[in-house]
């Protein structure tokens, strides 16, 4: 039995040692990279309305909207490209990046609006300040590689700049999910290594972490058993 304990102890030590090396390298990387660039916002700007605010008297009464959409659990007024809208939430997740379901209603005409390809493209362009032009526009379903936590279908608008910028616009709400580029993807790779997110789920609560914890526990127990065995054999002696 002791022979098997020794073998398992050695292999467990190898696995733990490799992961510790990865932690050290990724930790050092986090200390030297530019944290502003790592966020992927090099060419991002806040979309600011260029038109005067619409008077409240021009907006449809909220009561009328709620009567038309009785399954609404939350109503918010929002602006999309300087136009007023009501954002109606039918299914609400605990956080915005979790699964949600929306209706977008024009706050003046009452028309139901969908974030289609042209509108998503216009929203992305309004948030982008870089030198590139649009290379491709694709509607993608989660998981989204650049934003793994985001659980809602989104438009991916790629620009042909030197940073390979991608802008993500949520299909349901028209809100900007975020910008991503080569700097952010570089940082995300080391975050994946550091948090052992080898399954790409977007957090550190993974099966890899659980297995690693059990291996560490096993390493501790086998080390203790091995030490006791060597003590009983008299392997530890003080030399005169």
């Amino acid at each position: 039995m002791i022979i098997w304990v020794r073998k398992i102890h050695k292999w467990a030590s190898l696995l733990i040692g490799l992961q510790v090396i990865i932690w050290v390298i990724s930790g050092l990387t986090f200390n030297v990279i530019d944290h502003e660039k790592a966020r992927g916002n090099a060419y991002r700007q806040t979309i600011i309305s260029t038109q005067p605010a619409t008077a409240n008297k021009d907006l449809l009464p909220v009561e009328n909207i709620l009567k038309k959409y009785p399954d609404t659990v939350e109503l918010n007024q929002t602006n999309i490209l300087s136009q007023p809208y009501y954002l109606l939430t039918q299914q609400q997740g605990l956080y915005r990046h979790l699964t949600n379901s929306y209706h977008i209603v024009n706050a003046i005409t009452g028309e139901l609006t969908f974030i289609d390809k042209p509108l998503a493209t216009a929203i992305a362009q309004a948030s982008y300040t870089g030198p590139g032009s649009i290379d491709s526009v694709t509607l993608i379903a989660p998981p989204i590689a650049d934003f793994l936590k985001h659980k809602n279908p989104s438009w991916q608008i790629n620009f042909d700049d030197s940073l390979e910028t991608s802008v993500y616009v949520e299909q349901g709400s028209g809100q900007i999910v975020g910008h991503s580029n080569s700097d952010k993807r570089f940082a995300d790779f080391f975050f994946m290594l550091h948090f052992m997110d080898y399954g790409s789920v977007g957090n550190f609560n993974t099966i890899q972490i659980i297995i690693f914890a059990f291996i560490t526990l096993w390493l501790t127990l086998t080390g203790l058993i091995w030490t006791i065995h060597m003590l009983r054999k008299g392997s530890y002696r003080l030399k005169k």
Side-chain angles (χ1 to χ4, degrees):
M1 177 180 176
I2 294 299
I3 295 177
W4 280 105
V5 168
R6 285 169 142 181
K7 288 183 178 181
I8 296 175
H9 185 87
K10 289 178 180 179
W11 283 108
S13 299
L14 177 61
L15 291 175
I16 298 294
L18 288 174
Q19 185 57 46
V20 169
I21 292 173
I22 291 174
W23 278 338
V24 172
I25 293 174
S26 57
L28 290 173
T29 302
F30 296 149
N31 280 277
V32 298
I33 62 174
D34 188 322
H35 293 282
E36 290 300 320
K37 290 183 178 180
R39 293 173 181 169
N41 294 328
Y43 297 137
R44 182 174 181 174
Q45 70 172 354
T46 302
I47 301 177
I48 302 175
S49 175
T50 57
Q51 296 183 1
T54 305
N56 288 335
K57 62 183 179 62
D58 296 328
L59 303 181
L60 291 174
V62 172
E63 293 78 9
N64 294 357
I65 301 297
L66 292 177
K67 285 181 181 178
K68 190 173 181 180
Y69 300 95
D71 57 342
T72 298
V73 297
E74 184 176 275
L75 183 148
N76 292 291
Q77 184 180 338
T78 184
N79 286 304
I80 299 177
L81 299 179
S82 303
Q83 298 298 319
Y85 291 88
Y86 288 126
L87 180 63
L88 313 179
T89 305
Q90 273 72 45
Q91 178 184 351
Q92 189 173 43
L94 182 60
Y95 300 105
R96 193 174 75 84
H97 64 266
L98 298 180
T99 303
N100 292 280
S101 178
Y102 302 102
H103 285 324
I104 301 175
V105 177
N106 189 302
I108 297 177
T109 66
E111 294 181 359
L112 189 62
T113 302
F114 298 96
I115 307 299
D116 55 11
K117 184 176 180 178
L119 183 53
T121 301
I123 294 171
Q125 285 180 316
S127 73
Y128 177 76
T129 61
S133 57
I134 292 178
D135 184 52
S136 63
V137 181
T138 309
L139 179 62
I140 57 177
I144 299 173
D146 287 331
F147 295 93
L148 290 172
K149 291 183 178 181
H150 195 73
K151 304 302 181 184
N152 299 292
S154 301
W155 290 97
Q156 180 190 52
I157 299 90
N158 296 318
F159 291 83
D160 59 1
D161 55 49
S162 60
L163 294 178
E164 300 178 350
T165 301
S166 297
V167 179
Y168 294 88
V169 179
E170 190 175 53
Q171 184 191 30
S173 67
Q175 298 176 341
I176 298 289
V177 176
H179 282 219
S180 183
N181 56 31
S182 55
D183 291 330
K184 181 181 182 299
R185 295 180 187 113
F186 177 80
D188 286 347
F189 174 75
F190 283 95
F191 273 110
M192 179 269 293
L193 293 177
H194 195 76
F195 293 112
M196 300 180 67
D197 187 17
Y198 303 126
S200 297
V201 298
N203 61 61
F204 60 86
N205 186 24
T206 62
I207 187 63
Q208 294 85 248
I209 289 288
I210 297 172
I211 292 175
F212 186 83
F214 276 109
I215 292 175
T216 304
L217 177 61
W218 178 259
L219 185 64
T220 303
L221 294 176
T222 55
L224 178 61
I225 293 171
W226 195 354
T227 300
I228 294 174
H229 176 71
M230 294 182 71
L231 282 172
R232 294 179 63 182
K233 288 180 61 177
S235 299
Y236 297 112
R237 295 180 182 178
L238 295 176
K239 293 183 179 180
K240 295 183 181 179

